[in-house]
Amino acid sequence: QVQLVESGGGSGQAGGSLRLSCAASGRSFSSYAMGWFRQAPGKEREFVVGISRGGSTTDYSDSVKGRFTCYRDNAKNMVYLQMNSLKPEDTALYYCAADRAYYSGRYSTDYDHWGQGTQVTVSS
């Protein structure tokens, strides 16, 4: 079992940067593939990025590719989402998720464990 806690959200201007963090507790963090999802008001939860348990494989949604970078530090039980060139449409509640697998896909149903989310608000 793994518990996830996101942090690092906040408000920013378009064109700015934020870094989100997800701290995992529990054993065997390196056995879990991780993902970031987001949900804007009135919209469905959306895939942002997935990262394999070792960190060597990442998959980004087209909407964030080239602007966001996901990486993990298994020694610290952490996964990060560096968000650059922020846009107002990036405004959402951001969740990290975990699945006990090498790599999980783009569907939220692929993930078994979820954090509570951290809010990101980008103004123009």
Side-chain angles (χ1 to χ4, degrees):
Q1 193 79 358
V2 63
Q3 292 80 42
L4 305 173
V5 178
E6 303 93 337
S7 61
S11 298
Q13 295 280 338
S17 299
L18 285 172
R19 190 181 78 159
L20 305 185
S21 300
C22 176
S25 61
R27 296 187 291 180
S28 303
F29 174 69
S30 60
S31 298
Y32 289 84
M34 301 295 294
W36 286 96
F37 290 75
R38 66 187 183 185
Q39 188 165 17
K43 294 188 176 182
E44 294 186 353
R45 193 168 295 189
E46 174 191 19
F47 171 80
V48 176
V49 60
I51 185 167
S52 61
R53 62 189 182 193
S56 60
T57 301
T58 52
D59 176 32
Y60 295 90
S61 70
D62 288 345
S63 61
V64 307
K65 193 176 296 182
R67 299 188 299 119
F68 290 11
T69 302
C70 180
Y71 57 100
R72 63 192 294 168
D73 185 339
N74 285 347
K76 295 182 178 179
N77 283 16
M78 297 290 295
V79 63
Y80 304 96
L81 183 64
Q82 178 66 46
M83 305 187 297
N84 298 331
S85 302
L86 285 165
K87 302 177 180 180
E89 50 263 44
D90 294 321
T91 295
L93 188 61
Y94 283 72
Y95 298 90
C96 72
D99 180 46
R100 195 175 182 92
Y102 168 75
Y103 175 76
S104 292
R106 295 185 166 207
Y107 298 100
S108 59
T109 51
D110 292 334
Y111 297 83
D112 295 325
H113 308 281
W114 292 82
Q116 294 299 306
T118 185
Q119 179 67 38
V120 171
T121 303
V122 183
S123 57
S124 58

